[in-house]
Amino acid sequence: MINIKVNEQDLEVEEGLTVLQACEIAGAEIPRFCYHEKLSIAGNCRMCLVEIEKSPKPVASCAMPVSEGMNIKTNTEKVEKARKGVMEFLLANHPLDCPVCDQGGECDLQDQSMFYGVDKSRYKENKRYVPEKYMGPLIKTQMTRCIHCTRCIRFATEVAGVPELGAVGRGEDMQITTYLEKAMESELSANVIDLCPVGALTSKPYVFEARPWELKKTETIDVMDSLGSNIRVDTYGWEVKRVLPRVNEDINEEWISDKTRYACDGIKNQRLDVPYLKTEKDFQKISWEEANKIIVKKINEVSPEKIAGYTGDLTNMETLYVVKEFFNKTIKSKFLDSRYNNMYINTTKRENYLFNASINGIEESDFILLIGTNPRYEATILNARIRKSYLKNNLEIYSLGDAGDLTYPYKILPNTTDFIKQIIEGKHEISNKILNSSKPLIIIGESALTLKSGKYVFEKMKEYLSSLNKINDEWNSLSILLKDASSVGSYDLKIISSSDSENIVLKKTLNNEFEIIFLIGQDNLDFKKKNEFIIYIGSHGDKGAEIADIILPGATYIEQDGYFTNLEGKLQKAYKASYPPGEAKEDWEIINNLSELIKRKKIFKNKDELIDSMLNYINLNKENNSEKADDLNFIDEKILIDNSNYYFSNVIARASKTMADCNMAKLKLKKTGTEG
């Protein structure tokens, strides 16, 4: 620890901190533009100048480490004069366009110029002009406003891992550009908008939509992947205008993916707002009463063994629990599953389907092996953590098969289950690397678990790591990377027909053995329909609605309160920011009302009763165990990583115009021959 003084206040701080960080601990606010706690130090703007005793001139506090006995002053006349001088330089070329700038009301330059700016400029020359740059469909540029803080460049290089954003020129002629004026190739690109302290980089889809003080702000949870990023939804009236990140150091830090940020315009497109009945020609609008009558009549005519149900990838836990109770108690059918494929999941213990190392734990690992996963597309923020760990620890990363550009170097291994067998039997050098690592991390993706030998891959790898003591109370090396927001919640609620690799419900569905099929937000089921009566409950006119006989309009995650459990097992609540359109209802309410019509009794009196029952049912504890599984079917087969379209992964994203624009920009990217 080091003893220092800040504004005559004695302070004890850790060695290695900067003067700026020490001042903030002391409660002294230091203005800054270029400094950001998640990026490397640049020292460009000089706005953070402070006075240090025995120093001949003011010092940039962001770049100066603290030392023993330092006497720092942040509010002297000398400091104020220096900051005013810096502000005068920053404003010399800055355009006076605050009234039309989208950054207005959230602009650091605007705020700080109120404290350190002057009412008149001494600069009489012509102001510089910088032409707009093209950076893709998400980022609007007005580079005349740029103050050369280089936050965007450092983010692209260090966090996103796409060094395609840089600077050309020197002094006031310096320009931030993508060099060849192409779209940024990162799924994190729009974070530079939040980082920009002025209005040089603003949101293109949000341009001239609203002012920040006009918006209602709701803190909630993202469902575009299984990470559960903490977000803020801003609405104007009941229309979602933008989605911004919230700081959560354990999950998303302060970043969100482009899909999380911009798929929100898909909420108002292709919406289901009234019940529909399929006729010979097309879909016909009907009332809720008519729809419920038809469904009840159909259910009463069919035995429970002929009724099946699938839950979807964006479904909250309240709805999942109501559906479970509806199938168990109301219609007494056991054919309910949250999987639309033959993915193997062992739900006997919670750690069998969680990302056990935790998102923060990635930074502690010293060896990573990827099996059947592309984390860049499946969990973008988690991939950024892996990159961060690579830069911090210089760790070795291996992948079974070529996963594409993951933004960090990795070594490609044979993508076969036979190779996994070799590792488990200790016949490959990777076995030694796992053994000699203190905290190895084995990440298994859904592509590996959907194989015929998915059970073998998981159970044998778990058995192997247990034998090496890599699964213990302090560290669990085996982590499952699930793609969907509702996956962990559905497994916690035991919405699974069989813990074996074979999905019984899917098998019977493919053989057309059911007469009634419920699709609760399920739009990924691929089967040839014959005579099945399909009831679709969901928010969008997508794949599920296309094959349905009756459509019941539901709500999206933004239009209802609901719990979600993220990939590492954290239970988080998404809050209602808007209302469903037309006659659409909350999903749990639709099922609850159906139950009342069938059994003359609702499953739950209200939502509070539902939540209490659900929270009592689920077990959030983890238990490490080393039970050996039987009937392990080994087949030598290839592990093909599912690189399905990142921008169209769910119904909301598929309905989004912005996501379609992003996809088109990606398709139009031309290779220059200069790539690394």
Side-chain angles (χ1 to χ4, degrees):
M1 301 296 282
I2 291 174
N3 295 299
I4 61 168
K5 269 189 178 182
V6 178
N7 297 333
E8 304 305 321
Q9 176 189 342
D10 290 321
L11 198 70
E12 193 177 46
V13 296
E14 290 179 26
E15 193 175 353
L17 289 183
T18 63
V19 170
L20 188 149
Q21 290 169 321
C23 289
E24 293 213 322
I25 292 169
E29 191 175 337
I30 308 291
R32 82 292 299 265
F33 290 115
C34 69
Y35 174 79
H36 193 278
E37 53 272 14
K38 298 292 181 186
L39 305 174
S40 60
I41 294 166
N44 294 337
C45 72
R46 321 306 285 183
M47 197 66 203
C48 64
L49 294 173
V50 296
E51 193 177 346
I52 297 176
E53 195 175 68
K54 297 180 181 178
S55 178
K57 59 183 181 179
V59 172
S61 60
C62 69
M64 174 66 74
V66 290
S67 58
E68 184 67 38
M70 223 179 223
N71 188 0
I72 305 158
K73 294 175 181 174
T74 69
N75 52 10
T76 63
E77 189 179 337
K78 188 178 182 180
V79 168
E80 191 172 341
K81 189 178 177 182
R83 289 175 183 171
K84 281 187 173 179
V86 171
M87 182 58 70
E88 188 175 15
F89 276 117
L90 290 176
L91 294 175
N93 278 309
H94 199 82
L96 299 173
D97 61 351
C98 292
V100 295
C101 178
D102 269 323
Q103 196 79 0
E106 299 174 318
C107 178
D108 291 351
L109 186 68
Q110 202 176 55
D111 294 342
Q112 291 180 40
S113 67
M114 290 294 291
F115 285 90
Y116 303 104
V118 290
D119 59 344
K120 290 178 185 161
S121 174
R122 293 183 290 170
Y123 188 74
K124 302 298 181 188
E125 306 298 318
N126 291 331
K127 293 194 175 192
R128 72 171 178 159
Y129 170 76
V130 182
E132 286 194 30
K133 312 292 183 186
Y134 176 74
M135 290 189 185
L138 305 180
I139 305 166
K140 184 180 186 298
T141 62
Q142 194 84 40
M143 301 314 288
T144 306
R145 299 171 185 157
C146 180
I147 61 169
H148 303 156
C149 71
T150 68
R151 278 186 181 184
C152 53
I153 296 173
R154 284 174 284 148
F155 173 83
T157 308
E158 296 165 16
V159 180
V162 284
E164 57 196 12
L165 197 63
V168 294
R170 294 183 64 121
E172 73 167 13
D173 294 323
M174 176 175 152
Q175 295 184 26
I176 309 294
T177 175
T178 53
Y179 304 114
L180 299 170
E181 298 222 2
K182 63 186 184 72
M184 283 182 69
E185 290 186 51
S186 172
E187 293 75 32
L188 295 167
S189 65
N191 286 290
V192 299
I193 298 165
D194 298 332
L195 286 170
C196 185
V198 296
L201 304 176
T202 53
S203 174
K204 195 176 277 187
Y206 176 69
V207 64
F208 303 142
E209 285 286 323
R211 288 297 196 182
W213 55 84
E214 299 174 317
L215 302 171
K216 178 193 169 196
K217 301 164 180 67
T218 307
E219 295 186 347
T220 184
I221 303 298
D222 171 55
V223 300
M224 292 295 130
D225 54 34
S226 60
L227 209 78
S229 298
N230 288 211
I231 58 172
R232 192 187 87 197
V233 175
D234 289 0
T235 52
Y236 186 84
W238 298 117
E239 186 181 346
V240 178
K241 288 295 182 184
R242 62 179 184 175
V243 173
L244 297 175
R246 284 191 295 133
V247 177
N248 187 324
E249 294 295 342
D250 292 334
I251 299 175
N252 57 305
E253 297 182 290
E254 54 191 274
W255 322 121
I256 53 172
S257 69
D258 291 348
K259 185 163 58 178
T260 296
R261 190 185 297 266
Y262 285 117
C264 59
D265 66 326
I267 289 168
K268 62 183 180 183
N269 299 330
Q270 298 178 19
R271 286 303 301 270
L272 302 170
D273 55 355
V274 294
Y276 288 91
L277 175 68
K278 193 173 191 177
T279 62
E280 291 181 3
K281 294 181 180 179
D282 53 9
F283 284 98
Q284 177 188 329
K285 291 182 182 180
I286 56 172
S287 68
W288 274 102
E289 190 180 353
E290 288 173 306
N292 286 335
K293 274 184 180 177
I294 294 168
I295 294 168
V296 171
K297 186 173 180 291
K298 285 281 182 182
I299 289 171
N300 289 332
E301 290 172 352
V302 174
S303 68
E305 288 77 27
K306 295 292 181 181
I307 305 174
Y310 293 89
T311 58
D313 53 340
L314 306 179
T315 313
N316 61 44
M317 290 183 69
E318 288 94 323
T319 304
L320 292 170
Y321 189 60
V322 167
V323 171
K324 179 183 173 72
E325 294 294 283
F326 178 75
F327 266 73
N328 287 350
K329 295 176 181 177
T330 305
I331 60 175
K332 295 183 169 61
S333 170
K334 60 181 181 182
F335 299 112
L336 176 67
D337 210 303
S338 55
R339 301 169 297 169
Y340 57 88
N341 52 31
N342 271 325
M343 184 170 70
Y344 172 75
I345 289 289
N346 183 346
T347 57
T348 54
K349 302 286 183 184
R350 202 165 185 246
E351 74 275 7
N352 290 337
Y353 51 86
L354 294 183
F355 197 90
N356 293 297
S358 78
I359 300 163
N360 263 341
I362 293 171
E363 296 181 37
E364 299 174 29
S365 66
D366 51 359
F367 173 86
I368 294 179
L369 175 64
L370 305 173
I371 302 175
T373 181
N374 178 340
R376 179 171 175 177
Y377 292 158
E378 293 170 18
T380 306
I381 300 296
L382 185 139
N383 192 65
R385 282 290 183 121
I386 297 176
R387 174 173 171 79
K388 184 180 177 182
S389 183
Y390 165 75
L391 294 173
K392 179 182 169 184
N393 305 326
N394 196 26
L395 81 167
E396 287 186 288
I397 304 170
Y398 292 83
S399 170
L400 266 68
D402 188 356
D405 181 9
L406 296 180
T407 71
Y408 43 82
Y410 63 94
K411 293 175 183 175
I412 300 170
L413 300 170
N415 62 330
T416 63
T417 51
D418 185 63
F419 187 77
I420 295 174
K421 192 178 181 183
Q422 289 180 41
I423 294 172
I424 292 166
E425 292 173 354
K427 295 177 180 178
H428 197 272
E429 61 171 339
I430 297 295
S431 310
N432 294 327
K433 289 183 182 291
I434 295 171
L435 176 65
N436 297 327
S437 302
S438 59
K439 290 186 176 180
L441 177 54
I442 316 300
I443 302 175
I444 300 179
E446 290 187 15
S447 295
L449 297 173
T450 50
L451 298 171
K452 290 176 182 174
S453 46
K455 184 177 181 179
Y456 176 90
V457 170
F458 173 80
E459 296 293 351
K460 277 292 184 183
M461 184 58 74
K462 182 182 175 182
E463 190 181 312
Y464 171 65
L465 292 169
S466 295
S467 68
L468 299 179
N469 197 30
K470 303 300 181 184
I471 297 178
N472 50 58
D473 294 335
E474 293 181 4
W475 180 259
N476 189 332
S477 291
L478 188 61
S479 291
I480 308 300
L481 180 50
L482 298 168
K483 296 179 186 177
D484 301 328
S486 64
S487 292
V488 173
S490 66
Y491 303 146
D492 280 344
L493 294 168
K494 303 289 187 286
I495 300 178
I496 187 165
S497 57
S498 170
S499 61
D500 211 339
S501 55
E502 190 174 53
N503 185 336
I504 295 169
V505 183
L506 182 63
K507 185 183 178 182
K508 285 178 173 286
T509 302
L510 296 174
N511 292 332
N512 303 102
E513 293 180 30
F514 295 116
E515 293 182 28
I516 298 176
I517 298 176
F518 281 86
L519 300 178
I520 300 96
Q522 177 55 258
D523 291 273
N524 297 315
L525 188 64
D526 189 17
F527 84 108
K528 288 182 180 178
K529 180 186 172 184
K530 283 188 178 179
N531 300 316
E532 296 91 347
F533 186 81
I534 295 178
I535 302 156
Y536 177 76
I537 302 170
S539 58
H540 285 71
D542 203 84
K543 297 174 185 175
E546 286 175 10
I547 61 169
D549 293 284
I550 272 199
I551 297 170
L552 303 178
T556 64
Y557 73 106
I558 280 172
E559 297 157 354
Q560 57 186 330
D561 292 338
Y563 283 95
F564 290 89
T565 308
N566 78 342
L567 79 176
E568 60 180 357
K570 283 182 179 166
L571 186 66
Q572 302 183 106
K573 190 173 182 179
Y575 288 93
K576 187 174 184 173
S578 184
Y579 282 92
E583 297 176 28
K585 297 179 181 181
E586 293 189 14
D587 299 356
W588 76 272
E589 192 181 357
I590 297 170
I591 301 293
N592 209 28
N593 290 341
L594 266 178
S595 180
E596 184 181 24
L597 291 168
I598 296 168
K599 289 285 185 180
R600 302 190 184 279
K601 186 185 176 183
K602 289 184 176 181
I603 304 170
F604 299 104
K605 292 176 186 175
N606 50 46
K607 199 166 185 178
D608 290 336
E609 186 186 346
L610 157 62
I611 292 169
D612 287 344
S613 179
M614 181 190 77
L615 294 176
N616 286 327
Y617 177 83
I618 58 176
N619 178 17
L620 299 179
N621 296 319
K622 289 197 283 186
E623 306 171 33
N624 291 326
N625 70 93
S626 55
E627 295 174 3
K628 290 188 178 181
D630 299 321
D631 305 321
L632 299 181
N633 184 28
F634 173 77
I635 300 169
D636 186 16
E637 52 190 322
K638 283 192 174 182
I639 305 169
L640 300 173
I641 300 167
D642 179 19
N643 284 328
S644 49
N645 200 315
Y646 167 78
Y647 296 108
F648 299 149
S649 61
N650 58 60
V651 290
I652 296 173
R654 287 194 285 271
S656 166
K657 182 183 177 299
T658 310
M659 292 294 98
D661 291 343
C662 288
N663 189 53
M664 284 303 296
K666 192 171 184 177
L667 293 173
K668 288 178 181 177
L669 281 172
K670 292 180 181 177
K671 299 296 179 184
T672 62
T674 58
E675 294 83 7

